Amino acid sequence: MTHCPRCDRPVPTDAVSCPHCRYSLKAFGHPGIPLHRAAKDEFLCNSCVYHHDDTCNFPQRPNATTCTLYQNLDESIEDPLPPRNKPVPWYRRYPALWVLLALFVVSLLLAL
């Protein structure tokens, strides 16, 4: 169980709003979209990854107090990309094509 930021009472983790004070806990009334809120007299943009790398296009930037895409700078851990495999050349992808080509060449030589 989590706690409501307004009334500090326990609420279920999947609650869209606080059942006691009706404070909105999820964005757009959808249980899958978390709504991040700033503490009083602070803005979320000061500690957001997207603000610092200048990829944020939120209209309330840089004075946003609520945001759905907030990523804390201190908690952000970039996952390394998986290693890319080199593409396999076409002649290695289709070994049956080599067999057919060899049969064609052999049959052409026998026909002559």
Side-chain angles (χ1 to χ4, degrees):
M1 292 210 130
T2 59
H3 291 278
C4 175
R6 182 186 287 170
C7 65
D8 203 33
R9 290 185 176 172
V11 293
T13 55
D14 59 344
V16 176
S17 61
C18 177
H20 308 287
C21 66
R22 300 285 180 224
Y23 190 63
S24 179
L25 302 172
K26 301 290 181 174
F28 310 113
H30 190 278
I33 305 174
L35 184 61
H36 302 279
R37 295 182 187 273
K40 290 186 178 186
D41 301 328
E42 291 183 20
F43 299 114
L44 288 175
C45 297
N46 297 335
S47 62
C48 183
V49 171
Y50 300 115
H51 176 70
H52 285 280
D53 67 4
D54 205 28
T55 57
C56 179
N57 59 2
F58 198 59
Q60 284 79 16
R61 178 183 177 209
N63 302 325
T65 56
T66 61
C67 186
T68 56
L69 297 175
Y70 175 74
Q71 282 285 325
N72 193 343
L73 272 172
D74 300 329
E75 296 173 2
S76 68
I77 299 172
E78 293 192 25
D79 295 332
L81 294 174
R84 292 188 62 183
N85 296 334
K86 290 183 179 179
V88 179
W90 67 271
Y91 53 86
R92 288 202 179 154
R93 269 186 288 181
Y94 307 108
L97 184 65
W98 284 107
V99 172
L100 288 175
L101 187 62
L103 284 174
F104 178 74
V105 169
V106 168
S107 64
L108 193 64
L109 289 173
L110 289 175
L112 294 176

